[in-house]
Amino acid sequence: MSEDVRLYIVTDDPAKASLDVLGCFLSEVPSFIRIVTDAAQVSGIPPGSRCLGYWCAWNGRRLSDAQLAWEELRSFGDPRIEGVSEYFFSRIDEWNAKRRQAECDRLASIVAEYQGGAAAENPQKQRWF
């Protein structure tokens, strides 16, 4: 596990966790966040790391190995994990807002460039704007 990771999300559904917790697709998860899905990865979380457990298919009768490892860390008050505060979530919201604004700005730039030159050359392209 990398030392520059600022948040570990322990989950059984990485795609759903990235959307629900971070507000982005799994392919967009930044490098400072690691999504952990198995017991070996849970055991490898460094001391003092911020961690969040997010379970989509919690089964009361039979837990997965990752769930068992996560519950073991939490139940024994393992000093390796640190909780996630409301402030931390507000920083994730700020990151998402900046990311979305950058995407909007880039798309607006592409549309403006397209409208300025290519649309005038081809009447079929003009109907899209």
Side-chain angles (χ1 to χ4, degrees), residues 4-119:
D4 60 342
V5 174
R6 296 184 203 146
L7 174 65
Y8 290 86
I9 300 173
V10 184
T11 186
D12 57 345
D13 190 337
K16 185 163 176 39
S18 65
L19 280 172
D20 292 351
V21 175
L22 303 172
C24 67
F25 292 105
L26 188 57
S27 61
E28 300 171 324
V29 172
S31 61
F32 60 86
I33 296 176
R34 180 78 36 89
I35 296 185
V36 175
T37 59
D38 67 42
Q41 292 174 321
V42 172
S43 298
I45 295 174
S49 297
R50 279 195 175 90
C51 299
L52 175 69
Y54 187 84
W55 304 105
C56 301
W58 193 271
N59 185 343
R61 291 183 49 203
R62 185 176 179 112
L63 303 179
S64 72
D65 289 342
Q67 288 169 312
L68 288 171
W70 173 250
E71 284 303 306
E72 184 176 318
L73 284 179
R74 293 192 60 229
S75 66
F76 294 118
D78 195 301
R80 286 186 292 169
I81 62 172
E82 175 185 320
V84 178
S85 66
E86 189 63 37
Y87 174 74
F88 192 81
F89 279 113
S90 71
R91 297 295 310 260
I92 290 173
D93 291 341
E94 287 175 27
W95 169 78
N96 267 321
K98 288 178 185 177
R99 181 179 59 84
R100 288 188 180 109
Q101 186 59 52
E103 289 171 353
C104 258
D105 294 347
R106 179 66 182 134
L107 183 57
S109 169
I110 290 169
V111 169
E113 181 180 311
Y114 184 75
Q115 282 180 321

